[in-house]
mmCIF file with all atom_site columns, all heavy atoms in Angstrom:
data_model
loop_
_atom_site.group_PDB
_atom_site.id
_atom_site.type_symbol
_atom_site.label_atom_id
_atom_site.label_alt_id
_atom_site.label_comp_id
_atom_site.label_asym_id
_atom_site.label_entity_id
_atom_site.label_seq_id
_atom_site.pdbx_PDB_ins_code
_atom_site.Cartn_x
_atom_site.Cartn_y
_atom_site.Cartn_z
_atom_site.occupancy
_atom_site.B_iso_or_equiv
_atom_site.pdbx_formal_charge
_atom_site.auth_seq_id
_atom_site.auth_comp_id
_atom_site.auth_asym_id
_atom_site.auth_atom_id
_atom_site.pdbx_PDB_model_num
ATOM 1  N N   . GLY A 1 136 ? 108.942 139.920 82.513 1.00 98.00 ? 136 GLY A N   1
ATOM 2  C CA  . GLY A 1 136 ? 109.408 140.549 83.741 1.00 98.00 ? 136 GLY A CA  1
ATOM 3  C C   . GLY A 1 136 ? 110.021 141.920 83.530 1.00 98.00 ? 136 GLY A C   1
ATOM 4  O O   . GLY A 1 136 ? 109.994 142.775 84.417 1.00 98.00 ? 136 GLY A O   1
ATOM 5  N N   . MET A 1 137 ? 110.588 142.149 82.342 1.00 98.00 ? 137 MET A N   1
ATOM 6  C CA  . MET A 1 137 ? 111.223 143.436 82.044 1.00 98.00 ? 137 MET A CA  1
ATOM 7  C C   . MET A 1 137 ? 110.283 144.372 81.299 1.00 98.00 ? 137 MET A C   1
ATOM 8  O O   . MET A 1 137 ? 110.660 145.495 80.962 1.00 98.00 ? 137 MET A O   1
ATOM 9  C CB  . MET A 1 137 ? 112.487 143.208 81.196 1.00 98.00 ? 137 MET A CB  1
ATOM 10 C CG  . MET A 1 137 ? 113.580 142.411 81.895 1.00 98.00 ? 137 MET A CG  1
ATOM 11 S SD  . MET A 1 137 ? 114.350 143.299 83.277 1.00 98.00 ? 137 MET A SD  1
ATOM 12 C CE  . MET A 1 137 ? 115.275 144.566 82.402 1.00 98.00 ? 137 MET A CE  1
ATOM 13 N N   . GLY A 1 138 ? 109.081 143.906 80.950 1.00 98.00 ? 138 GLY A N   1
ATOM 14 C CA  . GLY A 1 138 ? 108.120 144.756 80.248 1.00 98.00 ? 138 GLY A CA  1
ATOM 15 C C   . GLY A 1 138 ? 108.444 144.963 78.782 1.00 98.00 ? 138 GLY A C   1
ATOM 16 O O   . GLY A 1 138 ? 108.073 145.975 78.192 1.00 98.00 ? 138 GLY A O   1
ATOM 17 N N   . ILE A 1 139 ? 109.131 143.990 78.172 1.00 98.00 ? 139 ILE A N   1
ATOM 18 C CA  . ILE A 1 139 ? 109.494 144.105 76.750 1.00 98.00 ? 139 ILE A CA  1
ATOM 19 C C   . ILE A 1 139 ? 108.361 143.534 75.892 1.00 98.00 ? 139 ILE A C   1
ATOM 20 O O   . ILE A 1 139 ? 107.911 142.412 76.135 1.00 98.00 ? 139 ILE A O   1
ATOM 21 C CB  . ILE A 1 139 ? 110.814 143.361 76.459 1.00 98.00 ? 139 ILE A CB  1
ATOM 22 C CG1 . ILE A 1 139 ? 111.948 143.988 77.268 1.00 98.00 ? 139 ILE A CG1 1
ATOM 23 C CG2 . ILE A 1 139 ? 111.124 143.379 74.962 1.00 98.00 ? 139 ILE A CG2 1
ATOM 24 C CD1 . ILE A 1 139 ? 113.261 143.208 77.190 1.00 98.00 ? 139 ILE A CD1 1
ATOM 25 N N   . THR A 1 140 ? 107.893 144.310 74.903 1.00 97.00 ? 140 THR A N   1
ATOM 26 C CA  . THR A 1 140 ? 106.809 143.894 74.017 1.00 97.00 ? 140 THR A CA  1
ATOM 27 C C   . THR A 1 140 ? 107.152 144.272 72.577 1.00 97.00 ? 140 THR A C   1
ATOM 28 O O   . THR A 1 140 ? 108.230 144.795 72.307 1.00 97.00 ? 140 THR A O   1
ATOM 29 C CB  . THR A 1 140 ? 105.489 144.592 74.377 1.00 97.00 ? 140 THR A CB  1
ATOM 30 O OG1 . THR A 1 140 ? 105.614 145.981 74.045 1.00 97.00 ? 140 THR A OG1 1
ATOM 31 C CG2 . THR A 1 140 ? 105.166 144.450 75.852 1.00 97.00 ? 140 THR A CG2 1
ATOM 32 N N   . LYS A 1 141 ? 106.196 144.044 71.671 1.00 96.00 ? 141 LYS A N   1
ATOM 33 C CA  . LYS A 1 141 ? 106.418 144.400 70.265 1.00 96.00 ? 141 LYS A CA  1
ATOM 34 C C   . LYS A 1 141 ? 106.659 145.893 70.089 1.00 96.00 ? 141 LYS A C   1
ATOM 35 O O   . LYS A 1 141 ? 107.182 146.316 69.064 1.00 96.00 ? 141 LYS A O   1
ATOM 36 C CB  . LYS A 1 141 ? 105.233 143.948 69.417 1.00 96.00 ? 141 LYS A CB  1
ATOM 37 C CG  . LYS A 1 141 ? 103.948 144.624 69.798 1.00 96.00 ? 141 LYS A CG  1
ATOM 38 C CD  . LYS A 1 141 ? 102.770 144.053 69.017 1.00 96.00 ? 141 LYS A CD  1
ATOM 39 C CE  . LYS A 1 141 ? 101.477 144.702 69.504 1.00 96.00 ? 141 LYS A CE  1
ATOM 40 N NZ  . LYS A 1 141 ? 100.283 143.967 69.093 1.00 96.00 ? 141 LYS A NZ  1
ATOM 41 N N   . GLU A 1 142 ? 106.295 146.696 71.083 1.00 96.00 ? 142 GLU A N   1
ATOM 42 C CA  . GLU A 1 142 ? 106.597 148.133 71.039 1.00 96.00 ? 142 GLU A CA  1
ATOM 43 C C   . GLU A 1 142 ? 108.104 148.365 70.925 1.00 96.00 ? 142 GLU A C   1
ATOM 44 O O   . GLU A 1 142 ? 108.541 149.411 70.470 1.00 96.00 ? 142 GLU A O   1
ATOM 45 C CB  . GLU A 1 142 ? 106.114 148.832 72.317 1.00 96.00 ? 142 GLU A CB  1
ATOM 46 C CG  . GLU A 1 142 ? 104.645 148.669 72.603 1.00 96.00 ? 142 GLU A CG  1
ATOM 47 C CD  . GLU A 1 142 ? 103.773 149.401 71.598 1.00 96.00 ? 142 GLU A CD  1
ATOM 48 O OE1 . GLU A 1 142 ? 104.025 150.597 71.381 1.00 96.00 ? 142 GLU A OE1 1
ATOM 49 O OE2 . GLU A 1 142 ? 102.873 148.751 71.024 1.00 96.00 ? 142 GLU A OE2 1
ATOM 50 N N   . HIS A 1 143 ? 108.880 147.402 71.362 1.00 97.00 ? 143 HIS A N   1
ATOM 51 C CA  . HIS A 1 143 ? 110.334 147.548 71.345 1.00 97.00 ? 143 HIS A CA  1
ATOM 52 C C   . HIS A 1 143 ? 110.951 147.051 70.039 1.00 97.00 ? 143 HIS A C   1
ATOM 53 O O   . HIS A 1 143 ? 112.170 147.075 69.892 1.00 97.00 ? 143 HIS A O   1
ATOM 54 C CB  . HIS A 1 143 ? 110.950 146.789 72.527 1.00 97.00 ? 143 HIS A CB  1
ATOM 55 C CG  . HIS A 1 143 ? 110.581 147.362 73.859 1.00 97.00 ? 143 HIS A CG  1
ATOM 56 N ND1 . HIS A 1 143 ? 109.435 147.016 74.531 1.00 97.00 ? 143 HIS A ND1 1
ATOM 57 C CD2 . HIS A 1 143 ? 111.211 148.280 74.648 1.00 97.00 ? 143 HIS A CD2 1
ATOM 58 C CE1 . HIS A 1 143 ? 109.375 147.676 75.684 1.00 97.00 ? 143 HIS A CE1 1
ATOM 59 N NE2 . HIS A 1 143 ? 110.424 148.448 75.776 1.00 97.00 ? 143 HIS A NE2 1
ATOM 60 N N   . TYR A 1 144 ? 110.134 146.589 69.096 1.00 97.00 ? 144 TYR A N   1
ATOM 61 C CA  . TYR A 1 144 ? 110.674 146.092 67.818 1.00 97.00 ? 144 TYR A CA  1
ATOM 62 C C   . TYR A 1 144 ? 111.376 147.224 67.074 1.00 97.00 ? 144 TYR A C   1
ATOM 63 O O   . TYR A 1 144 ? 110.799 148.290 66.850 1.00 97.00 ? 144 TYR A O   1
ATOM 64 C CB  . TYR A 1 144 ? 109.549 145.529 66.940 1.00 97.00 ? 144 TYR A CB  1
ATOM 65 C CG  . TYR A 1 144 ? 110.022 144.971 65.621 1.00 97.00 ? 144 TYR A CG  1
ATOM 66 C CD1 . TYR A 1 144 ? 110.361 143.629 65.488 1.00 97.00 ? 144 TYR A CD1 1
ATOM 67 C CD2 . TYR A 1 144 ? 110.141 145.790 64.501 1.00 97.00 ? 144 TYR A CD2 1
ATOM 68 C CE1 . TYR A 1 144 ? 110.798 143.111 64.283 1.00 97.00 ? 144 TYR A CE1 1
ATOM 69 C CE2 . TYR A 1 144 ? 110.591 145.291 63.291 1.00 97.00 ? 144 TYR A CE2 1
ATOM 70 C CZ  . TYR A 1 144 ? 110.919 143.955 63.181 1.00 97.00 ? 144 TYR A CZ  1
ATOM 71 O OH  . TYR A 1 144 ? 111.371 143.449 61.985 1.00 97.00 ? 144 TYR A OH  1
ATOM 72 N N   . GLY A 1 145 ? 112.642 147.016 66.713 1.00 97.00 ? 145 GLY A N   1
ATOM 73 C CA  . GLY A 1 145 ? 113.378 147.992 65.910 1.00 97.00 ? 145 GLY A CA  1
ATOM 74 C C   . GLY A 1 145 ? 113.919 149.190 66.670 1.00 97.00 ? 145 GLY A C   1
ATOM 75 O O   . GLY A 1 145 ? 114.498 150.092 66.067 1.00 97.00 ? 145 GLY A O   1
ATOM 76 N N   . VAL A 1 146 ? 113.751 149.206 67.993 1.00 98.00 ? 146 VAL A N   1
ATOM 77 C CA  . VAL A 1 146 ? 114.233 150.335 68.794 1.00 98.00 ? 146 VAL A CA  1
ATOM 78 C C   . VAL A 1 146 ? 115.752 150.220 68.982 1.00 98.00 ? 146 VAL A C   1
ATOM 79 O O   . VAL A 1 146 ? 116.250 149.152 69.309 1.00 98.00 ? 146 VAL A O   1
ATOM 80 C CB  . VAL A 1 146 ? 113.525 150.358 70.164 1.00 98.00 ? 146 VAL A CB  1
ATOM 81 C CG1 . VAL A 1 146 ? 114.122 151.417 71.076 1.00 98.00 ? 146 VAL A CG1 1
ATOM 82 C CG2 . VAL A 1 146 ? 112.027 150.571 69.983 1.00 98.00 ? 146 VAL A CG2 1
#
Side-chain angles (χ1 to χ4, degrees):
Chain A
M137 296 292 289
I139 298 172
T140 69
K141 63 185 176 196
E142 303 292 309
H143 294 86
Y144 181 91
V146 173

